[in-house]
Amino acid sequence: MESIDMTKENVHKIAALFPNCVTEHKDEKGNVVLGIDFEKLKIELGDDIIGENEERYQFTWPDKKKAIREANTATTSTLRPCPEESVDFENTKNLYIEGDNLEVLKCLRETYLGKVKMIYIDPPYNTGNDFVYDDDFASDASDYIENSGQKDSAGNKLFKNTESNGRFHTDWLNMMYPRLKVARDLLSEDGYIFISIDDNETQNLKNITNDIFGESNFVAQFIIIRSEGGGLAKRAVIGHDYLMVYAKDITKCISLGRPKDIRGKIIEINGEDYWIETDWFREVFGKYGTCHYEDILQFYNEKKKEEIDKGIKKGNYILLPKDGKHIVGRYRKVSEDTSKFYTILKHLNKNATVDLKIIGMEKYFDFPKPVSLLKDIILGATIQSKNRNDIIIDFFSGSATTAHAVMQLNAEDQGNRKFIMVQLPELTDEKSEAYKAGYKNICEIGKERIRRAGKEIKKEHPEAKDLDIGFRVLKLDSSNMKDVYYTPSTTHVSLFSQENIKEDRNDLDLLFQVMLESNVELSEKIETKKIEGKNVYFVKDNYLVACFDENVTEKVITAIAKEKPYYFVMRDSSLDSDNVADNFEQIFRTYSPDTIRKIL
């Protein structure tokens, strides 16, 4: 009941290339395990090996090796569903996950491996005032707590990384490195990661992303104009941030692009996706010419007028209302109607305040990103995806701007993009407006923002009837399983009668842990059926079937086996008797021999 161990996965990869370099040895617990014989591997690689003390180009810092190991190690944590805090839990494809993002990413790694089209993060900029996550690499945990006194609502430790700290850059790098390393595993081969940052750690971020993603996969470092003015600045007006962009594999990624001038709508014609272009007449009359259909026709001869009207009748052109008259748009293929991004983008932070003011939440966030920025880059990364059903992850969710932008963009272009927000439930300051309004941690504010934004977007776009504005709330927690190991000396009854699941866990908790371990996305449809009076869960039709009720009889097992699920899971204490346990395997061999059976 733990996530994938990437160290073991890497051993298997080397074994596939160099089977003669794999050997057996004892681990620290005395167990015999597979390992790599580096002496043999060095022979295989010949002259390409760099000696231990040989000079080389590298970027390193204290505890880098520990940060790498931390990214590769498995976690026994799980994600517990919270339907009461969710919106449209049964039907939504979106997720909001509370907890330390490193542990959450590890939980997601196996299920979402290579499935995420885009990741956006706005991590702590390491200004000396913001809190960073404590991963306990070098200092005792109590030292951090003494220094900061800060914990989130779940007891996770945070600390303020001030410049007086002798590990100022080291602590930030140790926080960022494992998270980015795990995040890379989630990206699809044609996926992108976007990282907001300011001057404090720009160079260090560039170095570690080169290390993780490869220098050849660097796309661009955008300058984001975020403010204007600033006449009271002491030295220079800093009116910009940066947006670092990397591809998972730049040879497989489309160029970041967007429609040149669109109405914000996509139409499918004969299986092809088309944007509606809104400024077609400007090609003839110049950028500042009038574009009204009623006025512009006087400049054409009768033949041209007939051609335009015929095109409108056929559907090649479309009349769009504007200023009490109309302009003429035309359909252009998505693949043909894109322009590449310019590396300087203007998205003012004051617009973010407007975004929040519309939903009555402008007092609750410091320095949020504007929705327009997120819409811009999400569109750029997903513009040519068929049906626009990509997964977008933000694992420093903060004010949940990314979720807001995904819903807004889906409403405008009929997309089906799905978001996964991850946020540590960091406590709000007792003096803040958010705390006074009843929001005790950042997650509570983020979830409320998504709720309000979804309702507002629905109001603005009544035509988007199928728009998904819901989200499933999941919370990181320890494993559902007790820390108990059975031995012959302590086990006096059948193994199937032992209760090894924590008392405070329910069926949904178990189901979601099983979904993670069965590579089933956490947004999949869940249907509950009654079989012989027992609750049986069907996930993704009958791909995963689970039953956690007590006293499950042979009739129930037989009925489930006849459904021929790919996976079937149940508790080891659920079977009605030892006799049912004895016949369990025989029932499945008879009715569904290919079903993978798991007992919790």
Side-chain angles (χ1 to χ4, degrees), residues 282-553:
R282 292 187 184 186
E283 294 179 8
V284 178
F285 293 101
K287 185 175 181 181
Y288 300 105
T290 177
C291 295
H292 287 110
Y293 169 70
E294 290 81 358
D295 299 332
I296 211 72
L297 284 182
Q298 62 182 301
F299 294 100
Y300 286 110
N301 57 37
E302 288 301 318
K303 187 175 180 182
K304 191 64 177 178
K305 289 179 184 177
E306 289 178 11
E307 182 185 328
I308 293 172
D309 288 334
K310 190 175 181 182
I312 292 171
K313 193 173 182 180
K314 280 188 173 182
N316 298 326
Y317 304 132
I318 183 172
L319 287 180
L320 302 165
K322 184 176 181 181
D323 302 329
K325 297 182 181 180
H326 294 85
I327 56 176
V328 176
R330 68 174 175 182
Y331 299 117
R332 296 183 65 177
K333 282 187 180 180
V334 168
S335 59
E336 297 174 355
D337 191 28
T338 59
S339 59
K340 293 181 178 65
F341 276 81
Y342 186 55
T343 53
I344 299 177
L345 302 175
K346 186 176 181 180
H347 293 277
L348 302 180
N349 280 357
K350 66 181 182 181
N351 295 335
T353 304
V354 174
D355 296 333
L356 291 167
K357 195 169 185 177
I358 291 171
I359 56 175
M361 300 189 73
E362 71 276 12
K363 297 179 180 179
Y364 304 148
F365 295 108
D366 296 324
F367 314 114
K369 290 290 183 287
V371 172
S372 62
L373 170 62
L374 272 298
K375 277 176 56 182
D376 210 4
I377 61 176
I378 292 169
L379 178 61
T382 65
I383 187 171
Q384 295 194 41
S385 297
K386 187 65 176 175
N387 299 324
R388 294 159 296 284
N389 57 358
D390 299 303
I391 298 174
I392 316 295
I393 286 186
D394 182 344
F395 56 88
F396 284 95
S397 174
S399 61
T401 305
T402 304
H404 191 157
V406 167
M407 294 187 296
Q408 185 75 48
L409 195 55
N410 282 343
E412 292 174 3
D413 68 9
Q414 292 77 57
N416 299 300
R417 303 170 188 86
K418 297 169 279 190
F419 64 75
I420 300 177
M421 300 293 103
V422 184
Q423 176 60 43
L424 190 74
E426 181 183 337
L427 297 178
T428 52
D429 191 310
E430 293 185 8
K431 298 178 181 178
S432 68
E433 291 296 325
Y435 186 89
K436 293 173 185 175
Y439 302 109
K440 299 301 185 286
N441 64 58
I442 291 179
C443 292
E444 291 180 10
I445 317 174
K447 288 179 289 188
E448 181 62 18
R449 189 224 180 126
I450 301 173
R451 294 185 191 105
R452 295 191 190 186
K455 290 177 182 177
E456 184 64 28
I457 292 167
K458 276 276 196 180
K459 191 190 303 180
E460 292 174 356
H461 297 271
E463 76 282 2
K465 301 185 185 302
D466 298 325
L467 180 65
D468 185 357
I469 59 170
F471 55 93
R472 283 181 178 174
V473 175
L474 304 168
K475 298 187 178 184
L476 184 74
D477 208 332
S478 60
S479 173
N480 294 316
M481 314 304 291
K482 290 180 180 177
D483 189 17
V484 173
Y485 299 91
Y486 296 107
T487 65
S489 62
T490 59
T491 303
H492 304 292
V493 293
S494 166
L495 179 62
F496 281 96
S497 66
Q498 300 299 301
E499 184 50 71
N500 59 347
I501 295 169
K502 294 175 181 175
E503 285 77 7
D504 64 336
R505 305 305 163 94
N506 59 37
D507 288 359
L508 271 183
D509 293 333
L510 298 178
L511 181 63
F512 273 77
Q513 182 159 344
V514 169
M515 288 167 68
L516 278 174
E517 294 169 356
S518 304
N519 295 327
V520 177
E521 291 184 15
L522 299 176
S523 58
E524 284 290 352
K525 182 81 172 176
I526 301 169
E527 186 180 0
T528 307
K529 298 180 182 179
K530 285 284 187 181
I531 298 180
E532 297 291 328
K534 305 298 179 184
N535 289 318
V536 181
Y537 297 97
F538 287 76
V539 184
K540 201 177 176 180
D541 296 325
N542 68 336
Y543 181 82
L544 168 63
V545 178
C547 180
F548 306 115
D549 281 1
E550 299 293 333
N551 304 316
V552 175
T553 64

